[in-house]
Amino acid sequence: MSKAVAPENPVPSHEVEDIEPVKGQAVAGKTQIAIARISDDEPLVTRKELWSYYLYYNGDNGVGPNGYSMTLFQALATAAGFDPVKGLGSSCTADDASGQCVLPWGGGTKAVSSIVLVANGVSFAVMTTIFTTIGSAADYGTFGRWLLLVVTCICWGAQFASMSLTEPSRWGAAMALYMIGFITYGATLVFYAALFPRLARNTPHARYLREKYENGEVSAEEYEIEESMEKNRISNISTMHSNIGYIATLCLNLSLLLPLNSNPKVNNYVLVFTNGYWVLTGIWWFIFQQPRPGPPLPKGESYLTIGWKQIWLALKQYKKLPFTFIYLFSFFLLADGLNTTGTLISICQNDKFQFSFLKNTYLGLSQAITSTISTLGFWYIQRYWKISTKKMFIVTNVVTIMIPLWGMIGIWTDKLGFHNVWEFWAYNIVFGLFQAPYYAFSQTMMAELTPPGYDNMFFGLFGLSNRASSMIGPNVIQAIIDNTGDNWKGFPFLFALCVCASVTIWFAVDITKGRRDAVRWAEENRYSAEFGNAVDERDSLDSKSKGHD
């Protein structure tokens, strides 16, 4: 297959018009739409490789590090705490308990709910450091390949070590292991997602589409639509596999939870069993993954500093990638609101169901089944009617931002607003129906707006927006809970955060223009991967010669 040749001097985005190129050439009077080049050096995606990619996500479904670990940590902390109304030595789980629970903390006391939120906030701060420091470095050489393996193994180790958490006095160790597992789990999601754009560009169907475009058989507009559909296909199928793994893991866990329900160590057994499932399904990716290395690390650069330099380079040129950065900033706030909302509801749910792994498993199954159905349903609807990624994202978004609004009702009444058992069932079903597609479409939108060849750098920033964004929410909410003693008082702040971010994405992000801007930016700066920050000098010269940016 012939290699697509990019123009020597790419045209700024504001000079571009939509055209129908013939064999890669511009039509008279119009400028060719910038299309990302594909390197023939990158191997075609094999069936084994694609299935191993799906299976990794099948096991990396979050049941352990994002669910059971937090429940175990909160349960041990609650068992070790005391009721502040009745005083030191009282039990938080007694029949006449006030409903509040605190632990000694920094010379005073702190609510268990606040401690859980602090653990989340610190975890997200550590993720931020990881994604900004070494996220971009994964675009060079084979560093990204080994980075995912290392963080995966650390997460596996933390989950297996949870077998030691059997006494309330070990709540501190439970907090540490939860944070290690949660941090590395978040990292696996980001570095796994960063592989997705490169895989999607090299599937047999993507290569076939590219060949038709280069031969002049389809227009640039048609190619963009079909390529976007291929990205959505990979993203939705991988998300579906994550949900299938979620179902499979929870069903398998019932084989332990039901017969061993009275065993005091059953929760520990379940965590180890859950992690074993991920090891069994995840190991194949590291066996069948084909090498697609990036350019060599520039001379004189370090893997610990190149990430910050690349991010600084991108930030300085944000005017050339306006829609990419608007999306990243807005999604930062949106993910902060939604992630913190999920954490707050989980805290309320754990209290309501008395930290029962069995009941949480049933609730998780309702979410997993609806997630699988909705992912397939949304993908079918999008494919059949050729609906854009952004419109699909908006549909999922409208419903999910209503979740913190519902929680707000619980401030004024105990009859609604996550005070009843049925509401947690309803929440898990609604979450499954709309949040699973939300994650798939948000990831595809990022892939659309990412400059080709800079996947890890921009997905690292996306990870900062998604997984590591929750530095604001948990800290604000835990302060509110400490001051009021009421978990529900945090929902108004989260609702406002979600609404502001959503409206910005809906009305200020143009995916089509953003995609073309990203391709041009990549072509203009591609040689910086070999010569470091030499792009700064070139950009300066270009600005002077053109008289504008």
Side-chain angles (χ1 to χ4, degrees), residues 115-430:
I115 291 174
V116 174
L117 287 165
V118 167
N120 275 269
V122 173
S123 297
F124 288 126
V126 175
M127 286 187 214
T128 301
T129 303
I130 292 174
F131 299 152
T132 51
T133 303
I134 61 178
S136 301
D139 286 319
Y140 294 94
T142 60
F143 185 68
R145 181 188 184 108
W146 298 108
L147 183 59
L148 180 60
L149 176 62
V150 169
V151 295
T152 300
C153 289
I154 294 174
C155 190
W156 288 346
Q159 294 294 284
F160 282 132
S162 296
M163 190 61 216
S164 64
L165 305 175
T166 56
E167 300 290 339
S169 60
R170 296 177 183 174
W171 72 268
M175 181 177 181
L177 287 176
Y178 164 68
M179 291 172 63
I180 293 171
F182 188 54
I183 290 166
T184 49
Y185 163 69
T188 63
L189 294 181
V190 170
F191 297 128
Y192 168 87
L195 300 167
F196 148 67
R198 193 165 294 180
L199 277 179
R201 289 196 297 266
N202 289 285
T203 62
H205 184 62
R207 290 289 187 92
Y208 170 72
L209 291 172
R210 184 60 179 230
E211 188 173 8
K212 289 183 69 176
Y213 164 71
E214 291 177 348
N215 290 335
E217 297 175 26
V218 296
S219 68
E221 293 87 347
E222 291 176 290
Y223 173 74
E224 285 184 324
I225 292 172
E226 291 301 325
E227 186 193 41
S228 178
M229 289 296 112
E230 180 67 357
K231 289 176 182 175
N232 274 290
R233 183 180 75 88
I234 303 296
S235 181
N236 277 281
I237 292 176
S238 64
T239 301
M240 181 193 70
H241 272 280
S242 176
N243 292 320
I244 291 174
Y246 198 19
I247 296 172
T249 302
L250 294 173
C251 288
L252 287 170
N253 288 342
L254 291 176
S255 66
L256 289 177
L257 288 168
L258 291 175
L260 300 177
N261 191 37
S262 59
N263 190 311
K265 294 184 180 179
V266 64
N267 293 346
N268 307 84
Y269 297 150
V270 167
L271 257 173
V272 170
F273 190 47
T274 300
N275 196 50
Y277 178 87
W278 182 11
V279 173
L280 183 63
T281 57
I283 195 67
W284 304 107
W285 170 248
F286 303 107
I287 296 173
F288 293 118
Q289 179 188 10
Q290 297 188 86
R292 294 185 182 86
L297 193 70
K299 292 182 179 179
E301 296 290 353
S302 165
Y303 281 113
L304 294 178
T305 58
I306 190 66
W308 285 101
K309 290 182 179 180
Q310 289 283 37
I311 291 171
W312 176 241
L313 167 64
L315 291 175
K316 286 202 300 182
Q317 300 192 15
Y318 74 94
K319 290 182 180 179
K320 293 185 178 181
L321 297 169
F323 301 111
T324 300
F325 281 98
I326 290 173
Y327 178 67
L328 283 169
F329 176 75
S330 301
F331 195 75
F332 178 95
L333 298 178
L334 177 61
D336 192 351
L338 290 176
N339 289 341
T340 309
T341 297
T343 301
L344 186 55
I345 293 174
S346 294
I347 291 171
C348 298
Q349 179 176 297
N350 285 332
D351 285 334
K352 188 68 178 179
F353 291 93
Q354 300 177 325
F355 314 104
S356 170
F357 268 39
L358 181 60
K359 291 178 181 177
N360 280 331
T361 297
Y362 288 139
L363 288 165
L365 275 171
S366 68
Q367 182 184 131
I369 293 170
T370 51
S371 292
T372 305
I373 294 171
S374 67
T375 302
L376 289 172
F378 272 81
W379 164 232
Y380 176 81
I381 292 169
Q382 183 188 30
R383 182 179 60 179
Y384 187 84
W385 279 285
K386 301 289 184 181
I387 302 173
S388 70
T389 303
K390 181 180 175 181
K391 289 179 180 177
M392 298 300 291
F393 179 70
I394 289 173
V395 171
T396 65
N397 217 191
V398 168
V399 177
T400 51
I401 63 176
M402 294 297 105
I403 294 174
L405 177 63
W406 186 268
M408 286 172 56
I409 300 174
I411 298 175
W412 301 289
T413 177
D414 291 337
K415 295 181 179 180
L416 291 175
F418 300 117
H419 287 290
N420 306 290
V421 169
W422 69 265
E423 289 180 289
F424 292 103
W425 282 101
Y427 160 73
N428 279 276
I429 291 171
V430 170

Side-chain angles (χ1 to χ4, degrees), residues 96-115:
D96 59 346
S98 68
Q100 299 182 51
C101 189
V102 298
L103 278 165
W105 185 273
T109 61
K110 199 173 193 65
V112 169
S113 296
S114 295
I115 291 174

Side-chain angles (χ1 to χ4, degrees), residues 9-21:
N9 295 300
V11 182
S13 60
H14 57 272
E15 297 180 13
V16 173
E17 298 179 32
D18 292 349
I19 55 103
E20 292 187 7

